[in-house]
Amino acid sequence: MDGTAIIVILAIAGVVSVMLFAIKGLLDQVPDVIESAAKARDSWQRFKKPDVPPRADDEEPPLAA
């Protein structure tokens, strides 16, 4: 019976270890997901309002006569 208890304890510890590793992996991805969502939101807002005039840097200089 002693051997069974040790195996059960080791199995539970292994499962908890794997679960913690998986949760850590998911939580490490959260900042990237939030950043991507913010970029997508900004792109969507720019798409909905295309009436923004071009910057002065984008204009070509006038041609000399």
Side-chain angles (χ1 to χ4, degrees), residues 2-65:
D2 270 342
T4 304
I6 292 172
I7 291 176
V8 168
I9 291 170
L10 288 174
I12 291 171
V15 169
V16 170
S17 175
V18 169
M19 286 177 54
L20 288 174
F21 185 74
I23 290 170
K24 181 189 178 302
L26 288 173
L27 291 177
D28 285 344
Q29 294 177 2
V30 169
D32 293 334
V33 170
I34 292 171
E35 184 178 340
S36 295
K39 286 181 182 179
R41 183 190 64 226
D42 293 342
S43 295
W44 180 251
Q45 289 174 351
R46 283 194 310 267
F47 175 73
K48 285 174 41 177
K49 294 183 180 182
D51 298 328
V52 177
R55 295 186 333 211
D57 296 344
D58 292 343
E59 295 179 8
E60 295 182 15
L63 296 175

